[in-house]
Amino acid sequence: MRETAEDKENTMSRFVKNKTKMVFYFSMEFLIGKLLENYLINLGLLDVVVKGLSDLGIDFYDLAEMENDPGLGSGGLGRLSACFLDSMASTGIAGYGVGLRFRFGLFKQRIDNGYQIEQPDAWLTNEYPWEMAKPSEAVEVKFGGVVDRTYDNGKLGFIHKGYDSVLAVPYDIPIVGYGGKNITSLRIFQALPMDDTVDMQAFNNGKYAEAMAKKSEAEAITCILYPEDGQPSGRVLRIKQEYLMVSAGIASILRIYESIYGNDAWADMPKHVSIHINDTHPAFCIPELMRVLLDDKGLEWDDAWDITRGVVSYTNHTVLPEALEKWPSDMLQHVVPRIYMIIEEIDRRFKEMLRNELGDWYNNCRNMGIIVDGMTRMANLSIIGSHHVNGVAEIHSQILKADLFKDFYLMNPDKFSNKTNGISHRRFLMQSNKPLASLITDCIGESWKKDPEKLSGLEKYANDKSVLEKLAAVKRESKARLASYISKKSGIDVDVDSIFDIQVKRMHAYKRQLLNAFKVLWLYNGIKDGSVTLPHPCVFIFSGKAAQGYHFAKEVIKFICSVADKVNSDEKVSKVIKVVFIENFCVSVAQQIYPAADISEQISTAGMEASGTGNMKFMMNGAITLGTLDGANVEISRLVGNDNCKIFGMTAEEVAHALRSREYNSRQFVSGHGTLSKITGQLVDGFFNSSGQSFWGIHDALMSRNDEFFVLKDFDSYVGAWMELSNTYGDSKVWNRMSLINIAKSGFFSSDRTIAEYDRDIWNTKGV
Ligand SMILES: *Cc1c(COP(=O)(O)O)cnc(C)c1O
């Protein structure tokens, strides 16, 4: 580790010496997973260490298992930033992550009697071995107070007074690039009280909690990821998290910048530094950089604005209106008064500028303004304050241009582009599926590890009987490994020779785990009454966390578990199908699951999943996608062709039309549909009483709130597609060939490719 630390310094010195342009990737989440094995693979030391330990009678993998999986993220967005760090370091980009050091991360999920229980994820207890505290680089972050104007020698200035200070202490986690040549880092900040003190008087009066209040208040900022924001106090806490990350992160950047380029080279900053904001959580980067340039460095507004927009770029991750961040303006004014002043000025100037634009000024202001109806819209701030905006898959970027950000796009079309997401093929293939990785290397050599598009070389084995049989054996090995994990964790025995049909991701209405569960319930009903026979046994595997306050998603977990109880305890049905909910989906669990899938369930309501990356991990491990034309499923299906994946359901246009026209009526739809009448009836008619539950929340979402996510409407198409796919499984030659083609085409989804595109079109670290 000490050597790695030195190499990290060396990498940084090399970047400094060469004046390499640096990229600072700001993200609320970094779901980095366990690091020991990743470090050893990338340093080329894994084999030596495994062998050396084994000579000492120690199993490396038992040891690696003991490492904590840092809970610094919640799902796809956080895993994406982790894959990007890996790819930047591996492809020689001077890319550094900036985030927060959450004491308890998101939460650990336990399933108790089918209900999700959230437990604090104490990943820092017993110390985290890979981080290095840098207390000497801690910075002060200011909250609250008031801003006074000053007038000095004809120059207007601002003084921030009466604020509360919090200390942001950085911790660096090394990121080792493949080959070990570049070692960069992820910098995460922890909030601490400015000075370590207690209220002595309160303490001596026995009011211990009160005596420590200041400390607790400060530490709360980096206590957990995504605190509930239903209450104003929760919203204030989220604003503080965002501002602390940004303010401390920018202070770090400017310290490095000044040490290389001096303290008067601000106009050159866009040549040397990129700040990328992953979704809008770090959007305060824009007003914060303005604040520092204006108030601390004495620049004029126009110059500071050019620099800020030259440095910042923004990735959008969602089109769901409820997921677009907006904060009450009076709250912002209270928590970060100077920042809010700057946002107001950015907004005022932008709206002024809109007077010269086509269209109705008032409407333009309402659509594109930052501050509207007393709310501050972070996405609009991010677009206005950055030089580039991208979506994360073709269909998503298209929706941004045609719909969500249409007016911005028409004003400034060159600002928008697509960067289809990717995944680290090193972690999700080389590391987590070693048998497959060796088979690939046996066929086409090692070059795919550095150049994943070379996986296409596998295609010439599409009809090679021996390779296809080896591929099937490799899949069986991964399924056996997952089966033993399932047996250990939940006591359920699954047949390794059944189809492994898997849906693992955050629980969300639009991801439609419910549709999948309805299919299983339909199979249960059909197998029980003899109307359905399956040619192959199948196990349905689910895993995913629901947000703590998301009642519908939690009810769906309980529903899946109740269906599982019915299925697994039925003598006849359980011979044909099984259902498993694996608790606590996280990177290390994910690494066991993706390699074992035959069918990859990617069944979101079309138009709602920005990209997905789970779909890519499954594909790269040879699973066949069963999906809607949504997110990166579009690219997957184009790459592999319709013979090698199964697309079903409404298209994004059909969904948009149905929502607009209001032609769809779910009650009517169900009343004419025997199967769905039965299933929606079973939700509430006592069918699940043995597991102590009626599912009124689900029932009402479908029947009273008109099935907003088209679960019922897509049901027939989904079940039909699933039946066809599961029938194909019987022809192992065809199936294995499909699987091989998926792997062969998956090189496109390496995040090395994604990062190369960001660099080429947005960051330009290698010069234009
Ligand atoms: C890849 C991944 C995700 C994202 O999955 P999607 O299917 O794209 O939603 C979420 N969590 C973990 C742990 C992952 O590895």
Side-chain angles (χ1 to χ4, degrees), residues 31 74-77 79 423 428 504-506 510-511 585-588 590-591 594 601-602 609 611-615 617-618:
L31 211 48
S74 76
L77 177 132
R79 186 53 234 177
I423 55 169
F428 289 103
V504 290
K505 47 185 75 243
R506 289 300 299 269
Y510 83 82
K511 291 179 183 271
F585 189 55
C586 59
V587 179
S588 41
Q591 285 177 223
Y594 292 117
E601 297 269 357
Q602 306 301 335
E609 184 74 88
S611 161
T613 48
N615 45 3
K617 299 172 204 162
F618 279 116

Side-chain angles (χ1 to χ4, degrees), residues 91 107 139 144 188 316 321 363 471 474 508 674 690:
T91 59
F107 58 81
V139 292
I188 48 179
N316 170 279
N363 261 334
L471 183 62
V474 158
H508 207 293
S690 57

Side-chain angles (χ1 to χ4, degrees), residues 76 87 90 166 297 524-525 583 734:
S87 284
S90 296
V166 170
K297 311 297 175 192
Y524 170 90
N525 291 334
E583 64 185 7
V734 171

Side-chain angles (χ1 to χ4, degrees), residues 187-453:
R187 170 159 282 202
I188 48 179
F189 290 96
Q190 175 179 2
L192 283 180
M194 199 56 197
D195 26 44
D196 202 6
T197 182
V198 291
D199 179 339
M200 291 296 282
Q201 201 178 341
F203 195 92
N204 288 327
N205 283 326
K207 297 181 173 152
Y208 308 120
E210 194 185 308
M212 317 272 194
K214 261 220 138 69
K215 183 171 156 73
S216 312
E217 188 91 345
E219 290 181 357
I221 297 175
T222 49
C223 189
I224 62 165
L225 172 62
Y226 299 138
E228 267 317 309
D229 61 353
Q231 304 281 326
S233 55
R235 290 194 282 277
V236 167
L237 191 59
R238 284 205 190 193
I239 293 168
K240 285 186 172 176
Q241 294 187 324
E242 295 184 351
Y243 184 62
L244 184 115
M245 163 172 74
V246 158
S247 181
I250 289 201
S252 288
I253 295 171
L254 292 197
R255 196 180 48 80
I256 298 171
Y257 189 81
E258 288 191 310
S259 77
I260 308 175
Y261 301 102
N263 57 9
D264 56 3
W266 302 113
D268 288 340
M269 204 172 167
K271 274 201 290 205
H272 304 305
V273 172
S274 267
I275 291 179
H276 198 89
I277 61 179
N278 191 28
D279 214 330
T280 57
H281 313 114
F284 289 131
C285 277
I286 293 156
E288 175 67 2
L289 186 54
M290 287 296 287
R291 182 190 71 76
V292 177
L293 293 174
L294 294 169
D295 297 359
D296 299 351
K297 311 297 175 192
L299 269 65
E300 297 297 331
W301 182 279
D302 288 334
D303 296 331
W305 185 236
D306 286 345
I307 294 165
T308 300
R309 295 217 310 169
V311 166
V312 178
S313 46
Y314 157 57
T315 298
N316 170 279
H317 284 271
T318 182
V319 298
L320 299 185
E322 68 272 20
L324 290 172
E325 277 195 304
K326 42 182 199 249
W327 300 119
S329 296
D330 53 353
M331 191 178 269
L332 281 186
Q333 188 158 36
H334 196 73
V335 182
V336 282
R338 177 66 180 131
I339 290 301
Y340 185 69
M341 266 177 102
I342 293 170
I343 295 175
E344 273 185 316
E345 182 62 12
I346 295 172
D347 185 51
R348 188 189 68 76
R349 287 172 183 246
F350 177 73
K351 286 173 178 163
E352 226 18 70
M353 188 273 293
L354 282 181
R355 291 187 189 278
N356 310 322
E357 291 294 319
L358 292 177
D360 178 62
W361 179 70
Y362 179 78
N363 261 334
N364 282 342
C365 287
R366 286 198 67 83
N367 291 340
M368 292 187 275
I370 301 169
I371 303 169
V372 175
D373 293 338
M375 300 296 279
T376 298
R377 303 190 293 193
M378 303 301 269
N380 289 10
L381 171 63
S382 304
I383 299 171
I384 292 164
S386 61
H387 62 85
H388 206 106
V389 178
N390 74 283
V392 289
E394 284 172 20
I395 185 175
H396 167 65
S397 299
Q398 205 49 47
I399 293 172
L400 293 186
K401 295 198 285 193
D403 190 5
L404 191 64
F405 300 149
K406 181 174 172 198
D407 295 333
F408 284 114
Y409 171 69
L410 292 176
M411 235 168 69
N412 213 337
D414 294 342
K415 191 166 180 172
F416 289 79
S417 77
N418 172 246
K419 301 284 167 280
T420 298
N421 279 168
I423 55 169
S424 165
H425 66 286
R426 285 170 287 273
R427 180 172 291 263
F428 289 103
L429 176 51
M430 282 166 60
Q431 181 178 335
S432 61
N433 198 346
K434 293 193 185 66
L436 179 57
S438 346
L439 174 61
I440 294 170
T441 300
D442 288 347
C443 294
I444 61 171
E446 299 264 8
S447 63
W448 64 274
K449 294 181 177 174
K450 265 203 149 6
D451 183 4
E453 304 257 3

Side-chain angles (χ1 to χ4, degrees), residues 474-529:
V474 158
K475 180 62 78 181
R476 200 172 183 285
E477 198 177 328
S478 295
K479 287 163 75 171
R481 184 168 68 131
L482 182 60
S484 101
Y485 181 81
I486 290 171
S487 162
K488 198 171 80 199
K489 289 279 166 180
S490 64
I492 298 171
D493 284 318
V494 300
D495 174 6
V496 176
D497 290 310
S498 52
I499 302 172
F500 277 34
D501 176 305
I502 307 187
Q503 186 174 24
V504 290
K505 47 185 75 243
R506 289 300 299 269
M507 302 296 299
H508 207 293
Y510 83 82
K511 291 179 183 271
R512 297 199 296 192
Q513 283 92 352
L514 186 59
L515 176 58
N516 191 351
F518 275 6
K519 172 192 69 191
V520 180
L521 181 55
W522 169 76
L523 284 170
Y524 170 90
N525 291 334
I527 294 167
K528 217 165 154 61
D529 70 17

